[in-house]
Amino acid sequence: VQLQASGGGLVQFGGSLRLSCAASGSILSINRMGWYRQAPGKQRELVATIGTGGSTNYADSVKGRFTISRDYANHTVYLQMNSLKPEDTAVYYCNADKVVVPGVGIRYNSWGRGTQVTVSS
């Protein structure tokens, strides 16, 4: 299972970005997909996740500004980020948990390489 994230970049305070992450490989299903971020000198933290039934979970710091969505057929997850702040600056990582691989089983906690988001003030 490979996760390829895209959509990061440099944006001004108050701007918007949309991140995408596509899972590829032999995949039957993915239970939960999400986004995490890691700022310099800080630990990786949850941003948002979305489950098979559409249930979502957001960090308090992004509620009302970020929206996570998912294309289940294409194993892709999106993160629409609005009203960006300098404190949103981080490397954003895509995550896929409980990936069912035919003939192999379940793979837990797969990570993409990350995409840089920089918000200037």
Side-chain angles (χ1 to χ4, degrees):
V1 176
Q2 293 186 341
L3 299 174
Q4 182 64 50
S6 61
L10 173 65
V11 65
Q12 289 187 336
F13 176 85
S16 297
L17 282 175
R18 188 184 192 222
L19 305 183
S20 300
C21 175
S24 62
S26 182
I27 298 171
L28 185 59
S29 65
I30 303 175
N31 182 34
R32 184 163 287 270
M33 297 187 77
W35 293 94
Y36 292 71
R37 67 186 181 187
Q38 188 167 15
K42 295 187 177 181
Q43 290 188 336
R44 189 173 298 188
E45 63 177 6
L46 177 144
V47 177
T49 65
I50 183 167
T52 53
S55 63
T56 57
N57 182 34
Y58 292 93
D60 287 343
S61 59
V62 306
K63 284 181 181 177
R65 300 188 298 122
F66 291 9
T67 302
I68 190 169
S69 60
R70 188 170 162 181
D71 179 346
Y72 292 89
N74 293 304
H75 306 305
T76 302
V77 64
Y78 304 96
L79 186 68
Q80 178 66 43
M81 304 185 293
N82 298 328
S83 302
L84 282 161
K85 306 174 181 179
E87 50 263 46
D88 295 317
T89 296
V91 177
Y92 283 70
Y93 295 92
C94 176
N95 176 272
D97 193 28
K98 294 183 181 179
V99 180
V100 179
V101 180
V104 175
I106 300 175
R107 292 191 175 181
Y108 296 89
N109 240 3
S110 298
W111 293 94
R113 286 192 175 183
T115 184
Q116 176 71 46
V117 172
T118 303
V119 184
S120 65
S121 56

